[in-house]
Amino acid sequence: MEPLIPDKGFVFVRQQEEVYNSEIALVKVFGEYEDEVTIKRVRFRDGKVHLISENPEFEPMVYELRRIKILGKVVEWLSEEEGHRYLKEYL
């Protein structure tokens, strides 16, 4: 399966601390030794947060609410080529 957000693609994220169920978000996961940031579909269920990959080959990651922080909502993504065109045009 082709990933929803292509390799080397560009992602536009609106900074916000909350998202609705099933929205794609930039999420910080607080680890035991180091933190990790990922882009996943978010589902809240039974007091836990399920971070779900768009690729069905990957199992959902399940965390307690205190172990994650929503950094923002993904509002758009572009391929590498589209992203470079956008940068040339707008920056």
Side-chain angles (χ1 to χ4, degrees):
M1 174 182 179
E2 199 60 34
L4 186 64
I5 299 170
D7 191 29
K8 298 182 184 178
F10 289 70
V11 178
F12 292 87
V13 176
R14 178 186 313 121
Q15 186 176 352
Q16 60 187 64
E17 294 182 359
E18 295 179 357
V19 293
Y20 292 112
N21 256 342
S22 299
E23 289 187 315
I24 298 174
L26 181 67
V27 181
K28 183 175 188 174
V29 179
F30 300 104
E32 188 174 333
Y33 300 105
E34 62 182 33
D35 300 339
E36 178 182 339
V37 175
T38 186
I39 296 174
K40 296 281 186 261
R41 190 168 297 280
V42 178
R43 291 217 173 95
F44 302 96
R45 194 178 305 146
D46 302 324
K48 297 197 184 273
V49 179
H50 298 245
L51 302 180
I52 302 164
S53 173
E54 290 300 298
N55 185 336
E57 293 180 18
F58 293 98
E59 291 291 320
M61 299 179 285
V62 181
Y63 297 99
E64 295 176 11
L65 284 169
R66 65 179 175 78
R67 293 230 13 241
I68 67 110
K69 179 178 181 178
I70 303 295
L71 301 176
K73 176 183 171 180
V74 173
V75 293
E76 188 173 350
W77 51 87
L78 303 173
S79 69
E80 181 179 16
E81 182 181 318
E82 292 168 326
H84 286 294
R85 275 198 312 264
Y86 178 89
L87 291 175
K88 285 180 183 175
E89 187 173 335
Y90 294 103
L91 296 183

